[in-house]
Amino acid sequence: MMGLAVQPLLLWSDALLFVMTAVIVALALWARRQDALRAAWARVAKNSVAMSAATVLAVFVLIGMLDSLHYRPRLDTQPGATAQYAVEVHSALDALLSGLRQRSEKTYSAPLATHLFSREALENSVEREFPRLKHGGAHLGENLAGHENDIALRLLFGAGAGLAVWLVMFAALRRRYGVEFKTTLKVGDGDTANGAEKDAEKGAAKSAAAGSVLLTLLAVFMLTGVVVALADGYHVFGTDKVGQDVLYLSLKSIRTGLLIGTLTTLVMLPVAVLLGILAGYVGGWVDDVIQYLYTTLSSIPGVLLIAAAVLMMQVVIDTHPEWFATTAERADARLLALCLILGMTSWTGLARLMRGETLKLRELEFVQAAQAFGVGRFAIMHRHILPNLMHIVLIALVMDFSGLVLAEAVLSYVGVGVDPSTISFGTMINTARMELAREPMVWWSLVAAFSFMFALVLAANLFADAIRDAFDPRSST
């Protein structure tokens, strides 16, 4: 009986991520029809640093989306038999990185090395030596004299290939949209300093922002070309204790960081906005109850509260194994539970901010005029209060993202984060920390995890700064 070559698998986190992406696209289309929002986003688009950061974030999001397309490969069966599928779950990113995933070594190896990191007793040898890697540098054969030259050639070839792809893209953009590339960019708010007229300044700012995007893409393409060229023959970031490629683990960790940062916000945002506006506008006993609730939650140490909740959820998962057909579904359940717990314990700061801003807004003339005309409370909160708080919500939304990515790393480091089978920056750091005490030190796993996490968090923070400057009513326009 014929069957599909793969069986598509939709995890709950995948579905939520795709739904959230669709909602963001819908909100972007809606914002284009709002003059104030369109003007604010136009200020963001003129910021060279913001557009560079957005380009880097788009690369991370693309990797995360590819890693969210899951499937189960078909097993080899007898002709005419019912199709059987593997229990192991793969993703589209796994298919693209199949070379990195399958080329595992015995144990640790340094970046771009040709031998294992530790000495072992070899056959037909009395002394302990460094064994050759099965895959790293295998194309060199026994002649290792050309190792350094081979790396240099691959660097040049990869950088040249990335430059060639960028030039093709640039030529296509210039032909299609008339994009003008300027090599002299000013990093800042995107305004020119030559005292030109306002229209000329706006055009120059847009040109500078477009140039910053092109420069960022040039760096991304060249870096990707170098990594691909080196990864074809070596382990670019070395291997870990069980011989897995560290570059593969770092790329797989991106999806976990993105899910923690976005899904947690999806849980936190409605609770914080609703309770904050209710406390600030309704007042009275409602305000007292909500203040007591978030004050009590804030007084409990966050790590202890999260750890207790995660352990309770883990007990539920362990006692109901029949709920999960694969280990990926089990790990996904713990990931969603962690997002839920982080969201339910991190809404207090935004709720307090919403309450304070609502207390000021309810005393303004347009709100009091609505009350005088007999408009209901919920209508006032929906039509007058919430729209005037959206800039704060958006700023908090973007700025909390990087904090949540770092929170996952800390929680996984202390053992109460994602499932051990889930690859994340925190699990990589937790695995590598014990190897820092050995001599010689195994440093590359830790450096790779920190490098990718630093790039993600830095890009998110720079983009958040630009959004804050553009949407804050007190900023100059």
Side-chain angles (χ1 to χ4, degrees):
M1 184 177 180
M2 296 297 294
L4 296 175
V6 297
Q7 183 184 58
L9 179 65
L10 184 65
L11 301 177
W12 279 104
S13 59
D14 300 337
L16 291 174
L17 184 61
F18 295 144
V19 169
M20 187 165 50
T21 303
V23 170
I24 292 175
V25 173
L27 289 176
L29 295 176
W30 172 78
R32 291 185 60 183
R33 298 193 296 267
Q34 308 297 320
D35 294 337
L37 293 178
R38 186 170 63 249
W41 281 112
R43 290 194 292 271
V44 175
K46 295 175 186 177
N47 191 316
S48 299
V49 176
M51 297 311 295
S52 295
T55 305
V56 175
L57 286 175
V59 174
F60 279 104
V61 171
L62 176 61
I63 296 174
M65 296 296 287
L66 289 175
D67 202 19
S68 298
L69 300 173
H70 289 101
Y71 65 91
R72 294 168 62 183
R74 181 180 177 180
L75 299 174
D76 294 332
T77 57
Q78 296 294 332
T82 304
Q84 299 292 330
Y85 297 94
V87 178
E88 186 179 5
V89 177
H90 299 300
S91 67
L93 185 65
D94 291 327
L96 292 176
L97 304 178
S98 58
L100 297 179
R101 181 172 57 88
Q102 296 172 0
R103 292 187 303 170
S104 61
E105 306 291 349
K106 184 177 180 180
T107 184
Y108 290 113
S109 65
L112 303 178
T114 57
H115 293 74
L116 288 178
F117 191 66
S118 57
R119 296 178 183 271
E120 293 183 1
L122 304 180
E123 295 182 3
N124 303 324
S125 177
V126 179
E127 298 181 355
R128 295 171 60 87
E129 300 179 3
F130 295 101
R132 279 293 300 271
L133 298 177
K134 293 188 298 181
H135 304 286
H139 62 284
L140 298 174
E142 298 298 328
N143 183 19
L144 299 180
H147 181 207
E148 295 181 356
N149 291 333
D150 182 66
I151 292 177
L153 289 175
R154 289 174 180 269
L155 284 172
L156 292 176
F157 176 77
L163 178 60
V165 173
W166 180 85
L167 289 175
V168 171
M169 181 202 69
F170 174 69
L173 288 176
R174 184 169 185 142
R175 181 181 180 87
R176 177 66 177 85
Y177 300 103
V179 176
E180 296 182 0
F181 177 65
K182 294 187 177 182
T183 56
T184 56
L185 300 176
K186 178 183 177 182
V187 177
D189 59 0
D191 293 332
T192 57
N194 57 6
E197 296 181 355
K198 187 175 181 180
D199 292 341
E201 290 179 352
K202 289 182 179 180
K206 292 181 180 179
S207 179
S212 66
V213 173
L214 290 173
L215 282 178
T216 306
L217 288 176
L218 174 61
V220 170
F221 285 169
M222 293 185 67
L223 181 60
T224 303
V226 168
V227 170
V228 170
L230 291 175
D232 186 52
Y234 302 94
H235 299 288
V236 180
F237 289 120
T239 56
D240 64 358
K241 188 174 182 179
V242 296
Q244 287 184 296
D245 191 277
V246 175
L247 175 61
Y248 169 75
L249 297 177
S250 301
L251 293 173
K252 290 285 289 182
S253 300
I254 293 174
R255 175 182 181 269
T256 305
L258 291 175
L259 285 175
I260 293 290
T262 54
L263 295 185
T264 301
T265 305
L266 189 65
V267 175
M268 171 192 70
L269 197 60
V271 178
V273 172
L274 176 62
L275 294 184
I277 293 177
L278 281 175
Y281 184 77
V282 177
W285 66 269
V286 175
D287 186 20
D288 294 338
V289 170
I290 295 175
Q291 282 194 79
Y292 177 79
L293 181 60
Y294 67 61
T295 302
T296 303
L297 281 176
S298 300
S299 64
I300 303 174
V303 175
L304 295 180
L305 182 62
I306 294 171
V310 168
L311 293 176
M312 291 174 60
M313 290 299 300
Q314 187 61 40
V315 171
V316 175
I317 293 174
D318 291 340
T319 53
H320 297 85
E322 68 278 2
W323 291 355
F324 315 104
T326 62
T327 55
E329 295 178 357
R330 176 189 177 94
D332 188 66
R334 175 158 174 171
L335 177 62
L336 291 179
L338 180 62
C339 293
L340 178 64
I341 293 167
L342 283 173
M344 296 305 296
T345 56
S346 59
W347 60 270
T348 55
L350 182 57
R352 185 182 290 111
L353 182 60
M354 292 290 101
R355 175 184 176 273
E357 292 295 324
T358 304
L359 287 174
K360 293 189 297 183
L361 288 174
R362 74 176 185 179
E363 303 299 330
L364 297 181
E365 289 81 358
F366 66 93
V367 175
Q368 294 181 354
Q371 293 173 347
F373 279 105
V375 181
R377 287 182 173 181
F378 289 101
I380 292 176
M381 288 187 286
H382 174 68
R383 297 177 183 175
H384 301 290
I385 302 295
L386 182 60
N388 287 280
L389 296 177
M390 286 307 297
H391 69 282
I392 299 177
V393 173
L394 185 59
I395 293 169
L397 177 70
V398 182
M399 297 192 69
D400 286 347
F401 172 82
S402 57
L404 293 169
V405 173
L406 296 175
E408 182 276 325
V410 173
L411 293 173
S412 296
Y413 175 78
V414 299
V416 293
V418 297
D419 190 83
S421 62
T422 302
I423 303 174
S424 70
F425 296 124
T427 54
M428 288 183 64
I429 295 172
N430 185 39
T431 304
R433 66 186 176 92
M434 297 302 297
E435 304 303 328
L436 296 178
R438 63 177 291 170
E439 183 63 33
M441 183 176 63
V442 178
W443 51 269
W444 47 87
S445 294
L446 193 64
V447 169
F450 270 119
S451 298
F452 277 84
M453 186 167 60
F454 175 77
L456 176 60
V457 171
L458 179 62
N461 284 339
L462 291 176
F463 192 62
D465 288 341
I467 288 181
R468 180 191 59 199
D469 296 338
F471 281 82
D472 193 342
R474 294 170 295 183
S475 64
S476 59
T477 57

